Amino acid sequence: MTLRLEWEDLVRARVPVAPRHVFADSPSELARVLDPAMNLCIWRRALGTGLAAWLDEVVETVEVHTQLELDGANPDASGLLHALPAGAHRDALRADIELLARQYQSLVNTPRVLATFARVTHDMCRRFHVDAVGLRGLCTYAGAGTQWVPEPAALRGGLGKQGLSLRDTNLAVVPHEGEVRSFERGWFGLLKGDAWPGNKGYGAIHRSPPVHDVGGRRLLLKLDVDPGGRLRA
């Protein structure tokens, strides 16, 4: 209770903070994440109903966890999807992943993109955190989407607090649980981490959704700069 009161006092007393996220309604707007004042850009888009229904079936029955380096300019994502049933829907999924990989590559300016496509049945990270990467792309194709926190709702001083319960660790960062936001399925998020040039201490705050508590499953795509790649400032 004492900790909760301290966090509430901090929220009331702090100077207003400007948002560091932006929404995109087209691929051309994804470049807004390169603005030094931004750490998150979310492309709000919808999957086709047929593809979405097929993915709902796949996530319940198919085990998949693949990682592949893609040619950034001409990606071929077929190697990520061998475990999925062949057909028009898999082809559509491959084309969509390749589209996202090209968009990502155009922003980070690296010849290779490291793509991970996985069925997730557990909570990958239940604590709000910042990634130690440059720019990461995330898209949930089935199941619950990544949770994130608008900058004005976050207390960065609470990140990494030790000796607290899981709930209190998260409350140290987000005192008001109602401020937590979630990606919808199909949305593509670009999250700056602490390693992005000039972004140290301002990485996008996020966590995996608590799917373990409800027995959920997810199909998640993650895009990163490959180990030999070079970030563009």
Side-chain angles (χ1 to χ4, degrees):
M1 178 63 72
T2 301
L3 284 172
R4 172 70 69 82
L5 291 174
E6 288 175 355
W7 299 330
E8 296 289 346
D9 290 342
L10 283 170
V11 171
R12 284 194 293 267
R14 64 182 172 162
V15 175
V17 176
R20 294 178 66 87
H21 68 274
V22 64
F23 292 107
D25 293 314
S26 68
S28 63
E29 295 178 325
L30 290 173
R32 298 173 72 183
V33 76
L34 300 179
D35 183 336
M38 297 294 121
N39 64 16
L40 171 65
C41 182
I42 303 172
W43 179 13
R44 297 177 293 191
R45 62 197 201 116
L47 300 176
T49 54
L51 177 59
W54 179 77
L55 289 166
D56 285 340
E57 295 178 3
V58 166
V59 76
E60 294 295 331
T61 58
V62 178
E63 291 287 348
V64 57
H65 192 297
T66 54
Q67 190 173 73
L68 188 66
E69 283 192 5
L70 305 177
D71 182 312
N74 296 290
D76 178 359
S78 57
L80 290 171
L81 307 177
H82 286 323
L84 278 59
H89 292 309
R90 190 176 75 176
D91 293 342
L93 176 61
R94 186 196 70 234
D96 192 70
I97 292 174
E98 292 168 356
L99 167 67
L100 297 183
R102 284 192 296 271
Q103 295 298 323
Y104 177 82
Q105 187 273 343
S106 71
L107 298 173
V108 298
N109 193 29
T110 182
R112 308 289 291 177
V113 173
L114 185 63
T116 305
F117 185 74
R119 178 179 184 255
V120 180
T121 59
H122 61 285
D123 298 335
M124 299 174 68
C125 187
R126 303 181 72 182
R127 289 173 169 78
F128 285 108
H129 65 283
V130 169
D131 289 330
V133 300
L135 186 69
R136 172 164 285 166
L138 294 175
C139 180
T140 301
Y141 282 101
T146 300
Q147 295 184 336
W148 61 281
V149 186
E151 194 72 21
L155 295 177
R156 288 190 175 271
L159 289 167
K161 276 188 176 292
Q162 303 296 315
L164 302 178
S165 67
L166 173 64
R167 184 169 187 272
D168 283 345
T169 297
N170 286 326
L171 285 172
V173 181
V174 193
H176 299 294
E177 294 176 298
E179 297 285 358
V180 177
R181 304 288 184 261
S182 297
F183 291 6
E184 293 188 15
R185 72 179 301 174
W187 285 11
F188 182 51
L190 290 165
L191 296 81
K192 281 182 184 172
D194 272 358
W196 182 263
N199 201 56
K200 179 69 174 177
Y202 292 100
I205 298 173
H206 64 288
R207 73 170 181 179
S208 301
V211 295
H212 177 78
D213 297 339
V214 296
R217 299 173 178 83
R218 310 169 66 207
L219 280 176
L220 178 67
L221 173 71
K222 181 174 67 173
L223 300 177
D224 287 295
V225 175
D226 77 299
R230 178 179 64 83
L231 287 175
R232 182 176 68 185

